[in-house]
Amino acid sequence: MHLSSDQPSARSAYASVRRCTDAVLYSSGLVAAAAMALTWATFLFWHVHIPLHLAAMIFSATLFLYNLDSVLPYKYTEQQVLSTRKLWMLHHRRQLLLLALLSLGVAGVLFLRDGWTHLTGFLGHLAAISLFYSLPVVKRQGQWRGLRDVPLLKAFLIAYVWSAVTVWVPALYLGKPVGSAVVMLLFARRFFFILAIAVVFDIRDYTKDRLGGTRTFPVLLGVKWAKLLALAALALAAVFVPEGLSAVHIVVLTLPLLLTAILVWFAEESRPDYYFSILADGIMVIQFIAVYLTF
């Protein structure tokens, strides 16, 4: 009797944990935390902790952009079978929209409060790329499409915006020229790291992108060659090492790249949603942890 009475309780606890995990992952909570963590990692390179208000602005702005993208109609019409993640988003579209609007409000207040208005042009072009990533802005084959549908542009856009936010924003905050050698070195390292992760998500979306006409690296080159491209990007990221780092620093900072390489190698479209939502996004948090422990 004791065992049988415990079983429903255990199932209920598991279901509750699963619901909470889905809510955090599929509302882009981990993605927003990863953006904040990578930005913090850049601050740590200069031995400065990220200001709390800037961390909140990065987190809320990322939450806004990703949840806005999640509620767009194309997310649910361009594939025949919806994944568990897409079904969750479909059932929670209203909540995701409200979360996006709330996040936009928080990011806007922090943007004005901290005097970033003089960088409106710089930050505005990043926001424009992020918004037009999915919204129709280019005409292709008689249809208006987002920037993501320009052949091979999808992964590069993601890598550029993430690198600009997580490297250039800290540099600007600390008064360092974004064109200086060390900043550009950090930018290049971050760019190729994110590019490899973007290819992993392109592998996840292989069938959806192929049916929707989005020509990503896996669609044009095949999954095997896309993986090799991602591994080459990680090799390039490993090459861009700032001067003055000790051997211990270099080893610790290389470990997340090796873990990402394993993630790339075993990436398959058939993997569960959690493989991508936890591991692929979580690897960026691991990158932060490596920096945090090193600097």
Side-chain angles (χ1 to χ4, degrees):
M1 291 291 294
H2 179 70
L3 289 176
S4 62
S5 63
D6 280 350
Q7 287 175 353
S9 176
R11 285 196 296 268
S12 176
Y14 173 79
S16 297
V17 171
R18 182 66 181 263
R19 285 194 298 270
C20 291
T21 302
D22 288 349
V24 171
L25 296 178
Y26 301 153
S27 66
S28 302
L30 181 56
V31 174
M36 180 182 67
L38 287 180
T39 307
W40 190 352
T42 304
F43 273 97
L44 289 175
F45 175 77
W46 286 300
H47 304 286
V48 178
H49 283 288
I50 187 172
L52 181 59
H53 47 89
L54 179 57
M57 188 177 79
I58 297 293
F59 181 89
S60 56
T62 306
L63 208 58
F64 160 67
L65 290 169
Y66 273 80
N67 281 295
L68 178 65
D69 184 72
S70 296
V71 301
L72 294 177
Y74 88 92
K75 286 284 186 178
Y76 314 99
T77 59
E78 62 182 10
Q79 59 183 15
Q80 296 175 347
V81 180
L82 294 174
S83 65
T84 302
R85 178 175 59 92
K86 293 293 180 64
L87 284 172
W88 188 96
M89 292 177 177
L90 180 62
H91 294 151
H92 296 84
R93 289 182 74 182
R94 180 175 297 179
Q95 293 92 327
L96 291 176
L97 179 59
L98 289 174
L99 179 59
L101 294 176
L102 177 62
S103 302
L104 175 62
V106 173
V109 169
L110 291 171
F111 175 80
L112 295 174
R113 172 188 177 275
D114 293 338
W116 288 88
T117 51
H118 66 290
L119 295 174
T120 299
F122 168 75
L123 297 175
H125 95 279
L126 298 178
I129 293 173
S130 301
L131 289 172
F132 292 124
Y133 172 79
S134 298
L135 294 176
V137 67
V138 293
K139 197 169 185 178
R140 201 171 150 254
Q141 297 178 344
Q143 294 183 338
W144 287 98
R145 294 173 174 264
L147 292 175
R148 66 191 296 276
D149 291 316
V150 176
L152 300 181
L153 191 59
K154 183 181 175 184
F156 288 112
L157 289 175
I158 294 172
Y160 173 73
V161 171
W162 273 75
S163 302
V165 170
T166 62
V167 175
W168 283 345
V169 167
L172 289 168
Y173 187 90
L174 296 173
K176 300 181 182 296
V178 296
S180 64
V182 65
V183 174
M184 293 306 296
L185 190 69
L186 292 173
F187 180 89
R189 182 180 178 88
R190 185 66 47 78
F191 180 89
F192 288 112
F193 172 61
I194 298 296
L195 183 64
I197 296 175
V199 171
V200 170
F201 284 103
D202 284 344
I203 293 172
R204 179 196 67 183
D205 297 335
Y206 172 77
T207 298
K208 174 180 69 66
D209 288 336
R210 181 171 58 83
L211 294 175
T214 302
R215 299 181 180 181
T216 61
F217 285 107
V219 171
L220 287 179
L221 304 178
V223 171
K224 178 182 177 180
W225 284 103
K227 287 183 179 182
L228 293 176
L229 176 68
L231 293 176
L234 290 172
L236 284 173
V239 169
F240 291 105
V241 179
E243 294 182 1
L245 296 185
S246 67
V248 174
H249 282 87
I250 295 173
V251 170
V252 173
L253 293 177
T254 303
L255 286 177
L257 300 180
L258 295 176
L259 292 175
T260 306
I262 296 173
L263 182 71
V264 168
W265 187 253
F266 289 102
E268 300 293 343
E269 186 183 18
S270 59
R271 295 285 183 191
D273 284 326
Y274 279 9
Y275 182 89
F276 302 96
S277 299
I278 294 179
L279 298 182
D281 286 332
I283 201 72
M284 293 184 280
V285 179
I286 292 176
Q287 173 74 30
F288 157 72
I289 294 173
V291 175
Y292 186 86
L293 295 175
T294 306
F295 287 88

